[in-house]
Amino acid sequence: DIIHGKNEETILRPFSSIEVRYHYDLEALVKSLGYDHVHNQITRKNFPTNVGGSAWIRPRLLYFERSITHEELLEEIDKRGNLRLAVIEEFIAFLRCYPFLLVGDTEIVAAGSIWNQIKGDNLCRYVPTAYTSGLGRTFYLHPVKLKYHPNQRFLVVEQ
């Protein structure tokens, strides 16, 4: 599907349905990816779940050919109505099923899971992101206050 955004096209790429197990140990799930670098704050404490059991989801990748803010991303998702941003458990299941999608400078973001960290008087917010570089595969946290760049893809789920 090609969906027109404000001034740019966004493309949603359909994938086969995948099973997500929400109740598994998050650290073990991340470790099972076999990534070379994993941010040490990607823990169940920082990314709690209120979903139990398992479910089948139909993931898609959404991207923009421009930089956008987190608020603009939320507006774009709201416009579509039938999508929501993926949470970290869905993200990990997707990365396990489609590891070959992390090529070049492409990053995939799970903007549906946000870690809120308080630093002094400031609230810092981060979303899980995966990419590949010369140092290998990396699972890190992208600061929400920074704009997302054009080579970041957003994992979304059909509702």
Side-chain angles (χ1 to χ4, degrees), residues 102-119:
L102 289 177
V103 294
D105 61 355
T106 297
E107 295 183 17
I108 302 176
V109 181
S113 285
I114 297 179
W115 172 42
N116 295 309
Q117 180 187 37
I118 297 173
K119 290 184 176 180

Side-chain angles (χ1 to χ4, degrees), residues 25-123:
D25 178 79
L26 184 63
E27 290 85 347
L29 287 173
V30 171
K31 188 173 183 176
S32 75
L33 290 172
Y35 278 38
D36 302 292
H37 307 280
V38 176
H39 196 286
N40 65 359
Q41 295 298 325
I42 299 175
T43 64
R44 181 56 75 199
K45 178 183 173 205
N46 295 333
F47 293 95
T49 184
N50 58 1
V51 179
S54 62
W56 288 87
I57 63 165
R58 183 149 169 93
R60 291 178 176 256
L61 285 178
L62 174 65
Y63 71 94
F64 305 88
E65 296 187 348
R66 59 184 163 87
S67 294
I68 63 168
T69 65
H70 191 76
E71 290 71 26
E72 289 172 320
L73 173 62
L74 295 175
E75 288 172 14
E76 291 292 333
I77 293 297
D78 284 345
K79 283 182 192 177
R80 285 152 177 79
N82 66 334
L83 300 173
R84 64 171 174 76
L85 295 169
V87 296
I88 195 166
E89 294 85 4
E90 296 161 344
F91 187 47
I92 293 168
F94 180 81
L95 293 172
R96 288 188 66 177
C97 290
Y98 299 102
F100 56 87
L101 291 175
L102 289 177
V103 294
D105 61 355
T106 297
E107 295 183 17
I108 302 176
V109 181
S113 285
I114 297 179
W115 172 42
N116 295 309
Q117 180 187 37
I118 297 173
K119 290 184 176 180
D121 292 338
N122 297 319
L123 175 64

